Amino acid sequence: MDGEDRRLDPLKSFTVNSFRLDPGIWQDLVSEEESQVMLNSFFNTQDYWTLFICQHPESGLSFSLHFPKNVQTKVICVSKSGPGVLTKENTRESLIIQEVQGEDALSFIITVSEKVTCPLLSNPETSSTWAAGVAEEALRFMGRQKNEALVMKAHIEGQTFLPHPGALHDDALHDDTQRLSDMKLLHSCDSMIIEWAELVSEFLQQHSSQPVLDGLKPLPSEEFNFWRNRLNNLHFIQQQLMSSRAQQVASIVQKAESVYWSTLRDIHRDVQEGLKEAEDVTLNLTGLQEQLEQVEQVEYQQLGANMAAVMEAVRQVWIQSKFYCEPCRMVVLLQEICNLFIQMSREFLRVEEVMHGLVSDPAPVLDDVRLVIRTLQTFKEAYSQCRTQLESQNQNQSWDFPSHLAFSHLDKFLTRLHSIQEVLCDSLQLRQLDQTVLSGVSSRMWTDVVQGVYQDFLCHVTDLSQSNCDPTDPDDQSFQLHLDQFQVQVSDLDRRLVSVLSRAFEDCCLSSSAAKLVQMFRLILDRPLIQDQLHPHLIRLVEMVLVELDQTELLFVSQREKSETFSRFSPSAAARLCWTQQLQLRAEEALNSYRTIQHLCVDSGESQLVLQRFQNVVDLLQDFRDHVRLDWSRQLDSDCGFILEQPLIQHSQQGMLEVNCSHKLKGVLRELRCVSREGDVELHPHTARLLTCRDDVTHSYLSLSHMVSCYNQVVMDVLQVELPLIQDQQHDLNQTLSMLQTNTWSCEGVQHLVEQQRERVLMFHSTVCKARANMNDMIGIIQGWAELHLLQHSGESLLEGGASEQSYRQIREEGQQLLLLTQVNRSLYGVEESSESWIRYLDHIDDRLQHGLFQLLLRSLRFLSDSMNPQTCRGPLVAVRLQLQETGSVFEPSVGGDLLKTIITDIYRAASLPARISMSRYDNLQESLQQSPDLIALEQEVMRHVVQVKEEAEHLRAGLDRYSYLWLSDRKEMMQEFLTYSRQLGADKLEAQEAPPTLKDFQREIESLHRLSREVTHLDDVIVLHSWLQVDLRPFRDSLLLIIHDWSHMYTEYLLDSVSDSLQQVSRRADDDDVDDGDDDDDDDKAPSSSLPLTETILLLEAAGVQLPEHLSAQLQSVAVSQFRSASFRGAFEGQ
């Protein structure tokens, strides 16, 4: 049949809708040859009553005449409602189509067979029209199909179903004669027994080792489930064999003496034996199962501690079980336990973390891998202990099977872990190259080589980490290939490092530097290839250590008797001990250098030689130290006895106080400090006594030194005028200090006595120091006046500033501060105001005050003198302005004798501001200082400069008087003379003839004024006279330019009036419309009564920079328009 067969329409419609298929897929399916064979068998024959349609994930849509196995998706079941061939007319009525899930399809077939098909075929009315035997054959077929479905359903559920003969019914139980004679029934029973035997035998032959034989890696849970399911299934089989239907079958074959009766009895026997075995194994595996379940719940770090318990549970199974104590089963069980531990280990390690750890941080991953290796090794050790225990207890129950059978997979996993461990160790070792920096002549080059090795290593380890492999899977051989390639690359890197390290060791001249190099590459040097290649350099390092030990011994022997060898800042004996200690440290440093490579050297003879040489040096130094300590203790006791008998203080030849035997005492105290630190020096009586009170003696010595220093400071620094003020206090203090000159360091209460005297001296020192500090402050104030800037500029002139009021205020305030400080000192010294010593003290301060004011005045006057001297001045000192007034040019301020009088007066006034300190002097300081010859000479020098600059200033003013006619002449009178005589009259005024001015005369006068304006404009803004007087000419220049402008304006104003008059006359003529032909000889552009041409006058004004006012411009434009109209009218009249 083909795809166009109409009988397929119901199947096509239901299948396409159910599976949501493209109709093209259905067409492809029915076009296949195998599908057409199945469809012909179902539609055109009576042998098949059911057709199955299912869709597999791999193979796709397919037909099947039998129920498909291992189908999880839905299945379409197509059943016939009766026998016969299906035609396109009866197809829709004869087909039963139903959709069921894959696991429910068997139940559907069973239900259809029991409830529909079998009752339908058993009904005589239904099969009356059929051929003989067809109904029976169909009924037998459906029975077989139902049994097959029941068996398959039970098999899917993990059970073994024993089907029953279809011909067996309940009424046969009561009719023995009929049952015995029914051969068909006997045949059915025999067939069922054969099928039962096959099913039971197939089930009993199942073995838990089958997954292992298939190459799988089962876990112990599968072993436990196998035996539990086996026990349950055997109970299920036993129940079926004991059922009424099974007993009926047994009765039939027994009474018929069938040959299969013995087969049925064998089935019963095999089931009973299987039950005993399954019950025994299940019972004994329970303890092991519970133990493994507990192990799966613990942390992996605790797994190793439970290995012994697991193996003990395995051993108990071997001992107690009658059926499980077989080597093959024990091997399978151990393999499954190994698989469990391997799975737990792989979950603990995690593949992504192992690969990531190669690149990022291998240390944690390496720790985890080592933990897994130790844990699995613990399991194998527990197995070995159990095996040994079994052999010792009972030879018959020992595990005589080879261990590699049980641990082959575990050993492969351990081998893979060791490979991973090696890679991680390589990564951890080579990562220390990242921050490596070598020293030496070619250090930069070798450091770059090491960094290149490190970068290449990172590339290799990155490539390994990026490989798509599972390193924890021992069956993944692709990772092993990557691993072998990585090892080859690492070996090449090792050889490159050997070349660098060899050169670095050759550059080391000291064992310490070589030891530092070893310490820097300590992990790298543990690598076999590198260690083997660097062995000669390590031997050389040992030789360097021996040489340094010999040099230390030679140095000690050659220098131990030379005093300059030892430090001059420590006692000789202590320095010797310190020197020997340094030599011992030097020897220990050499030994430590050897110990850094000791684990790399296998020659024990070299180790013994180095240790022996070191011990010889240490013994030699120890003997020398013992001898030094003995001599030191004797000499120190003698020095301590001498110090204890010496007085505390004494007077020196210069009359100063000093601590008695100060240098000797300091030396002894320093030696005592060294003795206490050394600890191995024998203490004699005097030494022990002084050492006991060393802290008190040290404190008293420091107090005495401080007290003596303060006393000597007062005595040395006292002024002659201060000595009478403190002599009484000094005398009392000397009497009390005499007690310290009679007491020795061995007396009782020395420390208390020293503290008492120290307090008195410090109080005396504090009083004198405060008074002296006040005196220094007063001197500082007075000396500061000499640096005070009394005069200050304001703007450009000293005259505008004069003496600073701020300086006056400072002098006045500091004068009051001087009076206050003198009163403070009087209270400190404790003297009366009327005492002669205090009066002399005040006179001394008053002398300094007068000297300071003299320096202030002298500095200010010298500043004036230097600033007015052309050779020393740095710029203008005083500024004046030249101004133009009605009377003429004058200087403001005036340049004369009073120019600097005010400033000099201000300078002398500063001397009157502070009050006098002396109580015996009453004259005025200012008046006294004004009589000083030095100040008088400077004042006269200043006035001489003033006289000189006055003469030069008058000469300047006289030169500028050449412009005086501009401001002295009367402009109206001068203008009248110009209009009358066309020029300015001079001495020939009486002889001049009247001549009105022309435009050229006006032009001459205006241009003359313009030239004069330009000349005045170019005058200097400022002129400095005598290098210190600055004259500002700008006020004079501005006033003069204004006067010149007024003169020029006088002429231009006259010309503007002339233009205005001319325009008015022309306007009037135009308004009269009076045309006079006789006036052709007159100029049309000038007024009848004006002598100045209008056009030239306007041009002259424009040349002079004068613009016509707006009203004149408008009037001029109006006149021009009127003249144009008049000219047009004349032209028209003449044409007629």
Side-chain angles (χ1 to χ4, degrees):
M1 61 185 304
D2 54 14
E4 300 298 331
D5 195 333
R6 306 306 300 174
R7 292 178 297 176
L8 296 178
D9 290 346
L11 275 71
K12 175 182 178 182
S13 177
F14 193 91
T15 303
V16 169
N17 292 332
S18 177
F19 289 109
R20 299 180 180 178
L21 298 175
D22 185 357
I25 298 178
W26 172 264
Q27 191 65 32
D28 295 340
L29 176 64
V30 299
S31 300
E32 296 178 358
E33 181 178 358
E34 183 179 358
S35 300
Q36 291 182 1
V37 171
M38 293 183 183
L39 291 174
N40 286 327
S41 300
F42 178 73
F43 281 99
N44 300 327
T45 66
Q46 301 181 6
D47 297 335
Y48 297 99
W49 288 65
T50 307
L51 177 68
F52 300 97
I53 305 174
C54 61
Q55 187 176 20
H56 293 276
E58 297 83 7
S59 58
L61 195 67
S62 63
F63 293 114
S64 177
L65 296 173
H66 303 284
F67 181 76
K69 297 181 180 180
N70 300 325
V71 177
Q72 301 298 325
T73 59
K74 57 187 175 182
V75 178
I76 297 178
C77 298
V78 184
S79 302
K80 296 179 183 178
S81 60
V85 177
L86 297 178
T87 63
K88 60 181 179 179
E89 289 79 10
N90 65 354
T91 297
R92 294 186 178 275
E93 294 78 8
S94 302
L95 289 181
I96 302 174
I97 305 175
Q98 187 170 356
E99 174 188 293
V100 295
Q101 294 298 323
E103 60 272 12
D104 296 334
L106 294 175
S107 300
F108 172 75
I109 294 174
I110 295 171
T111 303
V112 170
S113 300
E114 291 181 349
K115 302 298 182 180
V116 179
T117 308
C118 291
L120 185 64
L121 295 175
S122 301
N123 190 357
E125 297 179 358
T126 304
S127 59
S128 59
T129 58
W130 298 353
V134 173
E136 295 178 358
E137 183 62 26
L139 186 62
R140 283 196 299 272
F141 174 77
M142 293 305 300
R144 288 197 305 272
Q145 188 177 34
K146 182 184 71 172
N147 288 336
E148 291 177 0
L150 289 172
V151 171
M152 185 176 297
K153 180 180 180 182
H155 180 72
I156 293 174
E157 295 174 354
Q159 296 179 339
T160 301
F161 178 76
L162 303 180
H164 302 109
L168 193 65
H169 45 81
D170 294 336
D171 56 359
L173 296 174
H174 308 286
D175 193 351
D176 296 339
T177 305
Q178 183 179 358
R179 183 168 62 246
L180 292 174
S181 60
D182 193 350
M183 296 304 297
K184 293 182 179 180
L185 179 62
L186 179 61
H187 177 71
S188 299
C189 292
D190 292 341
S191 300
M192 286 297 101
I193 291 174
I194 294 173
E195 186 173 356
W196 290 357
E198 293 176 353
L199 291 174
V200 172
S201 176
E202 180 183 359
F203 170 71
L204 292 177
Q205 289 178 1
Q206 293 179 2
H207 200 280
S208 61
S209 62
Q210 189 61 41
V212 177
L213 298 176
D214 294 341
L216 303 178
K217 303 296 183 293
L219 300 178
S221 58
E222 298 183 26
E223 182 78 12
F224 303 145
N225 293 334
F226 172 82
W227 288 106
R228 183 172 60 253
N229 295 335
R230 187 182 183 91
L231 178 62
N232 294 335
N233 196 23
L234 287 172
H235 281 296
F236 180 66
I237 294 174
Q238 187 181 32
Q239 291 176 2
Q240 294 180 83
L241 292 176
M242 300 304 296
S243 66
S244 59
R245 291 294 181 92
Q247 293 297 326
Q248 190 176 5
V249 172
S251 175
I252 292 173
V253 296
Q254 182 181 9
K255 291 182 179 182
E257 295 182 355
S258 172
V259 296
Y260 294 103
W261 167 243
S262 60
T263 303
L264 182 61
R265 287 183 298 175
D266 292 341
I267 292 174
H268 279 274
R269 184 185 69 253
D270 294 341
V271 170
Q272 291 298 325
E273 292 178 355
L275 273 173
K276 292 180 181 179
E277 179 187 28
E279 289 174 350
D280 175 77
V281 173
T282 303
L283 177 63
N284 288 282
L285 286 179
T286 302
L288 177 61
Q289 181 178 1
E290 294 175 353
Q291 184 64 40
L292 290 177
E293 289 175 353
Q294 294 178 3
V295 167
E296 292 182 26
Q297 300 300 321
V298 301
E299 296 290 337
Y300 194 87
Q301 290 79 1
Q302 304 174 359
L303 183 60
N306 294 272
M307 292 302 182
V310 173
M311 285 308 305
E312 178 61 24
V314 174
R315 191 178 70 87
Q316 292 298 324
V317 173
W318 175 267
I319 294 176
Q320 297 176 4
S321 178
K322 297 179 181 179
F323 299 94
Y324 209 80
C325 54
E326 297 179 3
C328 61
R329 289 183 174 177
M330 188 54 57
V331 168
V332 171
L333 180 61
L334 289 175
Q335 287 183 355
E336 292 172 344
I337 294 175
C338 291
N339 294 336
L340 173 62
F341 290 152
I342 291 174
Q343 176 180 324
M344 294 175 65
S345 300
R346 295 180 65 185
E347 292 176 354
F348 172 71
L349 291 176
R350 290 191 293 273
V351 178
E352 60 276 5
E353 290 191 5
V354 173
M355 303 303 283
H356 182 67
L358 291 173
V359 180
S360 60
D361 187 8
V365 181
L366 179 60
D367 294 338
D368 293 343
V369 171
R370 288 173 175 171
L371 174 63
V372 172
I373 293 175
R374 290 195 303 270
T375 302
L376 299 181
Q377 291 291 355
T378 303
F379 176 67
K380 294 186 68 175
E381 293 173 359
Y383 164 78
S384 300
Q385 293 177 359
C386 286
R387 183 167 185 165
T388 303
Q389 187 176 2
L390 288 173
E391 291 176 355
S392 62
Q393 291 177 354
N394 189 348
Q395 190 68 28
N396 295 329
Q397 288 188 341
S398 63
W399 288 341
D400 54 356
F401 53 86
S403 301
H404 69 86
L405 296 177
F407 296 102
S408 59
H409 187 55
L410 181 63
D411 291 340
K412 290 175 61 178
F413 183 68
L414 284 173
T415 302
R416 176 59 59 85
L417 290 181
H418 283 294
S419 300
I420 297 174
Q421 179 183 4
E422 183 178 356
V423 173
L424 291 171
C425 288
D426 293 342
S427 179
L428 190 63
Q429 291 172 352
L430 294 176
R431 279 184 181 277
Q432 69 169 327
L433 301 176
D434 184 18
Q435 303 297 330
T436 300
V437 177
L438 298 176
S439 59
V441 179
S442 304
S443 59
R444 181 63 179 272
M445 179 182 64
W446 298 121
T447 301
D448 292 341
V449 174
V450 172
Q451 292 302 316
V453 171
Y454 175 70
Q455 295 300 327
D456 292 344
F457 163 74
L458 288 182
C459 294
H460 298 331
V461 77
T462 302
D463 294 340
L464 179 63
S465 65
Q466 293 176 351
S467 59
N468 297 324
C469 306
D470 185 359
T472 61
D473 185 6
D475 296 330
D476 188 355
Q477 296 301 320
S478 61
F479 179 77
Q480 188 63 41
L481 297 177
H482 289 287
L483 201 59
D484 295 340
Q485 181 182 1
F486 177 75
Q487 294 296 344
V488 173
Q489 294 169 344
V490 170
S491 298
D492 179 65
L493 296 180
D494 287 345
R495 283 187 288 270
R496 291 167 60 185
L497 284 175
V498 166
S499 62
V500 176
L501 293 176
S502 299
R503 185 59 182 271
F505 275 112
E506 292 175 358
D507 293 340
C508 293
C509 57
L510 295 176
S511 63
S512 58
S513 59
K516 291 179 182 179
L517 186 62
V518 172
Q519 189 67 19
M520 184 184 302
F521 294 94
R522 59 188 182 280
L523 298 179
I524 299 297
L525 294 178
D526 291 334
R527 302 180 63 79
L529 177 60
I530 296 178
Q531 184 176 354
D532 181 64
Q533 296 293 328
L534 294 180
H535 184 69
H537 298 284
L538 299 178
I539 297 300
R540 178 174 171 268
L541 177 56
V542 175
E543 295 174 354
M544 292 171 62
V545 171
L546 293 174
V547 171
E548 290 181 4
L549 290 175
D550 292 340
Q551 290 177 349
T552 302
E553 182 178 357
L554 180 61
L555 178 62
F556 168 73
V557 173
S558 61
Q559 299 293 328
R560 60 182 173 182
E561 300 300 333
K562 297 180 180 179
S563 58
E564 62 272 11
T565 304
F566 315 111
S567 174
R568 60 187 179 89
F569 299 104
S570 300
S572 176
R576 289 173 182 269
L577 294 177
C578 181
W579 178 64
T580 56
Q581 185 67 27
Q582 293 174 356
L583 291 179
Q584 183 168 347
L585 291 176
R586 181 174 175 178
E588 290 176 354
E589 182 180 358
L591 181 63
N592 292 333
S593 299
Y594 170 73
R595 286 174 175 169
T596 57
I597 63 164
Q598 188 174 5
H599 67 286
L600 302 175
C601 300
V602 297
D603 190 357
S604 59
E606 295 178 351
S607 176
Q608 293 297 327
L609 180 60
V610 171
L611 294 177
Q612 181 180 0
R613 191 71 57 83
F614 172 75
Q615 191 61 40
N616 292 339
V617 174
V618 171
D619 293 342
L620 189 61
L621 295 174
Q622 185 62 40
D623 292 341
F624 181 76
R625 281 198 294 269
D626 293 340
H627 178 71
V628 170
R629 290 193 185 99
L630 180 61
D631 295 342
W632 189 17
S633 63
R634 293 174 182 174
Q635 182 62 37
L636 183 58
D637 187 69
S638 175
D639 295 339
C640 291
F642 173 77
I643 290 298
L644 289 173
E645 299 302 327
Q646 297 300 313
L648 301 180
I649 63 174
Q650 65 181 5
H651 281 283
S652 65
Q653 296 178 357
Q654 293 80 15
M656 301 294 176
L657 285 180
E658 63 179 11
V659 180
N660 193 21
C661 301
S662 176
H663 296 291
K664 185 80 170 179
L665 178 58
K666 286 193 295 186
V668 170
L669 292 176
R670 186 166 61 249
E671 291 193 26
L672 289 176
R673 183 171 64 253
C674 295
V675 166
S676 62
R677 186 170 57 246
E678 187 69 24
D680 294 335
V681 180
E682 182 182 358
L683 301 179
H684 293 283
H686 294 302
T687 304
R689 179 181 177 184
L690 194 57
L691 181 62
T692 304
C693 57
R694 180 176 65 88
D695 294 338
D696 295 337
V697 172
T698 302
H699 185 268
S700 298
Y701 170 73
L702 295 176
S703 298
L704 282 175
S705 300
H706 185 212
M707 179 189 70
V708 167
S709 176
C710 292
Y711 180 86
N712 292 337
Q713 181 182 357
V714 172
V715 174
M716 290 187 299
D717 297 343
V718 66
L719 299 177
Q720 192 65 28
V721 72
E722 293 176 336
L723 187 58
L725 299 175
I726 64 172
Q727 60 184 0
D728 293 339
Q729 298 182 39
Q730 185 179 7
H731 178 72
D732 295 340
L733 190 61
N734 288 334
Q735 288 183 348
T736 58
L737 291 177
S738 61
M739 298 176 62
L740 297 176
Q741 299 178 15
T742 58
N743 283 272
T744 63
W745 289 104
S746 61
C747 295
E748 296 293 335
V750 170
Q751 185 177 5
H752 179 67
L753 178 62
V754 169
E755 289 299 321
Q756 285 182 341
Q757 301 304 322
R758 174 176 173 270
E759 292 298 328
R760 296 190 61 183
V761 172
L762 291 182
M763 187 178 299
F764 172 68
H765 175 265
S766 176
T767 300
V768 175
C769 287
K770 289 179 181 179
R772 188 167 300 158
N774 292 337
M775 172 63 80
N776 293 334
D777 290 343
M778 289 187 284
I779 295 174
I781 292 173
I782 295 171
Q783 291 177 349
W785 290 345
E787 304 296 330
L788 186 63
H789 294 281
L790 188 59
L791 301 178
Q792 66 176 6
H793 283 76
S794 178
E796 298 179 351
S797 177
L798 182 64
L799 293 174
E800 299 179 8
S804 171
E805 184 61 33
Q806 182 180 358
S807 301
Y808 283 169
R809 184 169 59 254
Q810 179 180 348
I811 294 173
R812 190 180 297 109
E813 292 175 354
E814 290 179 349
Q816 294 297 324
Q817 188 176 356
L818 292 177
L819 293 175
L820 179 60
L821 290 175
T822 56
Q823 294 301 319
V824 173
N825 279 2
R826 188 182 66 81
S827 63
L828 289 174
Y829 288 129
V831 297
E832 299 292 337
E833 289 185 1
S834 59
S835 65
E836 184 178 355
S837 58
W838 178 247
I839 293 174
R840 287 198 301 270
Y841 182 75
L842 294 181
D843 291 343
H844 173 74
I845 299 176
D846 190 76
D847 292 339
R848 287 184 173 271
L849 172 63
Q850 186 172 355
H851 179 71
L853 291 174
F854 171 77
Q855 294 295 329
L856 172 62
L857 302 183
L858 183 66
R859 182 172 181 270
S860 300
L861 291 175
R862 184 173 289 124
F863 168 74
L864 283 178
S865 177
D866 293 342
S867 298
M868 298 169 72
N869 189 343
Q871 285 74 29
T872 59
C873 67
R874 298 181 179 178
L877 177 66
V878 178
V880 296
R881 297 182 298 277
L882 181 63
Q883 295 187 350
L884 185 59
Q885 300 180 357
E886 294 180 357
T887 57
S889 58
V890 294
F891 288 103
E892 288 188 0
S894 177
V895 179
D898 296 334
L899 181 61
L900 296 179
K901 261 309 186 186
T902 303
I903 296 177
I904 295 175
T905 302
D906 291 343
I907 292 174
Y908 280 114
R909 180 170 169 262
S912 64
L913 297 176
R916 300 209 67 156
I917 303 299
S918 175
M919 299 174 60
S920 60
R921 302 171 183 172
Y922 303 101
D923 53 335
N924 189 284
L925 284 173
Q926 179 179 352
E927 296 176 356
S928 176
L929 291 174
Q930 283 179 341
Q931 305 302 322
S932 172
D934 294 335
L935 299 180
I936 293 174
L938 285 174
E939 184 179 355
Q940 293 174 353
E941 181 70 18
V942 170
M943 298 310 297
R944 184 176 62 82
H945 289 302
V946 172
V947 172
Q948 292 176 354
V949 83
K950 179 181 179 182
E951 296 175 356
E952 193 172 348
E954 289 298 330
H955 179 71
L956 172 64
R957 189 171 63 85
L960 295 175
D961 283 345
R962 64 181 181 272
Y963 304 110
S964 60
Y965 69 92
L966 292 174
W967 65 79
L968 294 178
S969 300
D970 187 355
R971 286 193 295 273
K972 293 182 179 181
E973 182 180 349
M974 298 299 291
M975 185 62 180
Q976 189 61 37
E977 290 181 359
F978 174 74
L979 293 177
T980 303
Y981 302 105
S982 68
R983 60 186 177 87
Q984 303 293 337
L985 297 180
D988 56 348
K989 178 176 182 182
L990 297 178
E991 300 175 359
Q993 297 179 359
E994 294 184 4
T998 63
L999 281 179
K1000 290 184 179 181
D1001 296 329
F1002 278 98
Q1003 183 176 5
R1004 182 188 70 246
E1005 295 297 330
I1006 292 173
E1007 290 179 355
S1008 175
L1009 290 172
H1010 283 179
R1011 287 193 300 272
L1012 188 60
S1013 177
R1014 288 194 295 271
E1015 178 182 345
V1016 173
T1017 303
H1018 287 85
L1019 290 177
D1020 294 333
D1021 293 342
V1022 176
I1023 296 177
V1024 179
L1025 303 178
H1026 210 260
S1027 300
W1028 64 271
L1029 180 62
Q1030 177 178 297
V1031 180
D1032 187 0
L1033 297 180
R1034 286 173 294 185
F1036 172 81
R1037 184 185 61 188
D1038 295 340
S1039 299
L1040 185 57
L1041 287 174
L1042 184 58
I1043 292 173
I1044 295 173
H1045 178 269
D1046 292 340
W1047 279 92
S1048 177
H1049 180 68
M1050 180 180 64
Y1051 293 110
T1052 57
E1053 188 67 25
Y1054 178 83
L1055 293 177
L1056 286 174
D1057 293 341
S1058 175
V1059 170
S1060 178
D1061 294 340
S1062 298
L1063 289 175
Q1064 290 178 2
Q1065 292 178 11
V1066 172
S1067 297
R1068 283 195 297 269
R1069 284 185 61 188
D1071 293 338
D1072 295 340
D1073 295 326
D1074 223 350
V1075 181
D1076 187 359
D1077 296 334
D1079 294 336
D1080 293 338
D1081 297 332
D1082 298 333
D1083 190 350
D1084 295 335
D1085 291 339
K1086 62 184 179 180
S1089 61
S1090 176
S1091 62
L1092 298 177
L1094 177 60
T1095 302
E1096 284 79 357
T1097 303
I1098 294 173
L1099 293 175
L1100 177 59
L1101 288 173
E1102 291 179 355
V1106 178
Q1107 296 292 333
L1108 291 179
E1110 293 182 1
H1111 68 280
L1112 293 181
S1113 298
Q1115 192 175 1
L1116 179 61
Q1117 186 178 4
S1118 176
V1119 169
V1121 172
S1122 299
Q1123 289 182 352
F1124 175 75
R1125 289 178 179 175
S1126 299
S1128 299
F1129 176 77
R1130 285 197 302 268
F1133 182 77
E1134 292 173 356
Q1136 292 178 357

